[in-house]
Amino acid sequence: MKNQPKLILAPLKTLIFSLLLFTFSLNTIAAHQTVARQWNEVLLEAIRNDFARPTVHARNLFHISIGMYDAWAVYDQQATPFLLGKTVGGFTCPFSPMPLPALPYSIQIAREEAISYAAYRLIKYRFREAPGKAYIYQLCDELFEEMGYDSLNTSLDYLRGDAAALGNYIAAQIIQFGLQDGSNEANSYRNQYYEPVNNFMNPRWPGNTTLSNPNRWQPLGLGIFIDQSGNPVEDGAPKFLSPEWGWVTPFAMQEKDAQVKAREGFAFKIYHDPGPAPLLEANNADDEYRWGFEMVAVWASHLDPADSVVWDISPASIGNTDIDDYPQSVSELRNFYKFLEGGDIGKGHDLNPYTGQPYEPNLVKRGDYTRVLAEFWADGPSSETPPGHWFTLLNYVNDHPALTKKWKGEGEEVDELEWDVKTYFTLGGAMHDAAISAWSIKGYYDYIRPISAIRFLGQGQSSDPQLPSYSPTGIKLIPGFVELIEPGDPLAGANDEFAGEIKLKSWRGPDYIFNPDSVAAGVGWIRAAYWWPYQRPSFVTPPFAGYISGHSTFSRAAAEILSMITGDPFFPGGMGEFHVTKNEFLVFEEGPSESFTLQWATYRDASDQTSLSRIWGGIHPPADDIPGRLIGDVIAADAFAFAEKYFKGEVSPASSADFPEIFPNPVSRNELLTISIKQSIPDGIVQFIGQDGRLLHQQNISEDMINGFLQIPTEHFAPGIYVVRITGKDFESSRKILVKP
């Protein structure tokens, strides 16, 4: 097993955890770390030992952050809890005032105990089906016992001021909240109605003959799929992860941010809808669809240090792109990315604002830099998934001696525990909303991945009808990168049987790696029929649609959150660094060929680098990237402002009720569906929308409501899934229900 490097933040500092952990020990947790930090580290290690599901773990990170925050906020004179005593997503969490300790020291002890019981119960519940369950439970039990707590204490009677009971109660309520939040957790998060329109492709077979719709996602048949955490998942074609995630209860996103659209008879709820991705147009060889996937193919030629191209990867030369620099339309993407040489229009930074000095050059082979980026930001074979990756970055920033823990960089320094629970809560809420938004878009638009598109396009060329292999849905010829195989070419075969096919100058793929500890595939000419992304052959590409990029959405949202909570867009000391050791970092091939250090001046620079890494990794075309960055910006701003309302005590139980209670759900056809409306909704209307998007039923709330309840007969509705939509003056909300036979 290759050694993994440590993340370091300038000035140089030995840190506690490697960003890519293979092992974990409670002995590595420094004594000064808060209980919130210690449980967050256990949670991250639990994620690394579970199936790699970004949506599920963004939710886990948020829900467990809720538990820790609520256990802290109960004892605060100003802050209000998120769930305790509130109605969130139609779920009401009862909570009565409890006696609080009189002494500050006693309050601190009570907080730590309540936080620990809540986190302990939640982590063990959420990871009870993880492949690494035994190890995760061992970590939880060891830390819990080390703290002196009793795992047999399951009391929920917090009314006497028992902090352990409070933690247990918080965990129990979050568990119940999660069982009705739209995630389908009770059924292991299984999809309820999504089905792919394309048959699976086996990437070991040449070409892509099973693709019927080149604009839609295609599952891959891999025999055994090994997820990003190294777990064998299932035989055959892995299912689309979380295509219906738009129905999950969000943190800060509101109904005004969402719309419901029907596709193939089912309703999809979409947050921050960016509109459709570029589609393949058969008679337009210069369309944006082809351009984007061609760029992915061209950038795959950058993955070889033997090409002798050297870049300065210091903050002086890369990063520092303004949001005003981002393309505002698909056609503007061409002016943002460097199609042939790689990278974007980032202009770099003139000076380190902390030292006042220019950043020193950092010269690295492009082929090493691009390969390390693809592996680093993919989170490696021991993945805490992208949302967890940004929690590790937050923890490293929190450990930096140059960081002053002042909220937004203002006022007095914040107590360590307060800082941790607030930053986890804020970042967790943003990561959860990013997952809901990105996957709501992925589920509805169902967009194709590069391996499917490039192999499909590579079945012909659309540049010249007079040349061989002409096809109006073919790839465009690009001299030096995309060409025709000529007779006598080494790729033409012994009898020139492949002459006239398309060839690509690209990373050559897993067939050229017989020993990943000593061999790199390199770059060369390959048949387009055998193009691979820069990924493991047992993984190939994530099992969900490409548009929009989850990495871009998560990373931009996280970068903005870190900037806002610290009050500074720059890493502490003006630069973050990650050292990579020669031939000890890359996992599925040898490399890098030289030791070097990744560097970022700002959190946004790191986020932008994440986005580019997914293009070099063969996972996303440019059209997937920019919408994710822009949506991440919006999500971060909303999540930060919403979290601050709780910290300032500005959220009342009434104002957190984003949807009236609706029960029973599911409802049988012989039952009345009841909606409990506890707030005034002027001009309120209730609508029932079918799976095809048609309005099936409508009632006026003020006319038909009796004593705060609205009852609706369901015998006229066929069994299936419906959307209940309530609108009124300054109010809009929707909820999915199931009508049973």
Side-chain angles (χ1 to χ4, degrees), residues 294 297-299 301-302 339-341 461 463-464 467 475-486 502-506 525:
E294 287 161 2
V298 169
W299 281 28
S301 70
H302 302 157
F339 185 93
L340 295 180
E341 63 265 45
Q461 57 85 16
S463 292
D464 190 341
L467 293 176
I475 198 167
K476 186 171 65 174
L477 299 176
I478 305 172
F481 297 96
V482 183
E483 297 181 357
L484 289 170
I485 298 174
E486 301 288 345
I502 307 300
K503 67 177 182 178
L504 306 173
K505 187 177 182 182
S506 177
W525 287 101

Side-chain angles (χ1 to χ4, degrees), residues 718-731:
I721 297 171
Y722 296 85
V723 175
V724 178
R725 183 169 179 261
I726 298 181
T727 60
K729 185 178 180 181
D730 300 323
F731 187 91

